[in-house]
Amino acid sequence: MEHESGLRPDAIQGGALYNEAIAMNPVTGGYAFGLAQWDSDRRVKLLETAKKENKDWKDSAFQLSFAWEKDGSDSNLIKKLSKQTDLNTTTVDILVQWERAGTSQIQKNKQEGKSVQIIGITVL
């Protein structure tokens, strides 16, 4: 999360400004929001949930609650991944499965037992 959003809950990918038409379009990618840089349909779900609950999507407590409880199957996934005990495996699994960070090479290296650098950290 730190690499993507700088741990800023109000971060919009690439420093873009908020645009309602783009933000609420679930097929628009590359316009990620918040701590976890939710994009596309996940971004829309974040915004709709905030509105429904009368919360500010830029609030870090709301975003953490969203990730843990309101992000559908992704909430179940992050709970499952948080129970893993191997840091390297958990790091890769969160990047590949939960963030879906375009990490096909990381997954390939993991399957082949090779290490890879992720934001300056070597993982196997």
Side-chain angles (χ1 to χ4, degrees):
M1 283 191 204
E2 182 179 7
H3 180 71
E4 296 263 332
S5 67
L7 295 180
R8 290 187 42 228
D10 63 339
I12 299 176
Q13 186 174 351
L17 299 176
Y18 183 84
N19 178 310
E20 183 84 10
I22 297 171
M24 297 307 289
N25 185 338
V27 297
T28 299
Y31 191 62
F33 280 22
L35 293 170
Q37 290 293 277
W38 286 278
D39 204 6
S40 304
D41 60 330
R42 291 174 82 192
R43 175 193 60 246
V44 173
K45 188 173 184 181
L46 173 79
L47 296 172
E48 287 175 343
T49 302
K51 184 175 182 176
K52 179 178 155 187
E53 296 182 5
N54 199 28
K55 303 282 186 183
D56 185 347
W57 72 265
K58 298 179 290 267
D59 180 77
S60 58
F62 166 75
Q63 289 184 24
L64 293 173
S65 172
F66 177 82
W68 200 252
E69 297 293 336
K70 300 166 188 144
D71 197 14
S73 61
D74 287 306
S75 290
N76 295 332
L77 177 61
I78 197 69
K79 287 176 192 176
K80 176 185 156 197
L81 295 175
S82 73
K83 294 177 184 175
Q84 294 181 169
T85 58
D86 181 84
L87 179 60
N88 289 340
T89 299
T90 303
T91 300
V92 172
D93 288 349
I94 288 173
L95 283 170
V96 173
Q97 297 175 38
W98 188 74
E99 283 192 49
R100 296 186 286 283
T103 53
S104 58
Q105 187 60 47
I106 293 170
Q107 185 65 23
K108 182 179 179 213
N109 285 5
K110 179 183 172 193
Q111 290 170 345
E112 295 174 0
K114 298 177 183 174
S115 64
V116 64
Q117 284 277 332
I118 302 173
I119 315 166
I121 301 168
T122 301
V123 295
L124 180 62

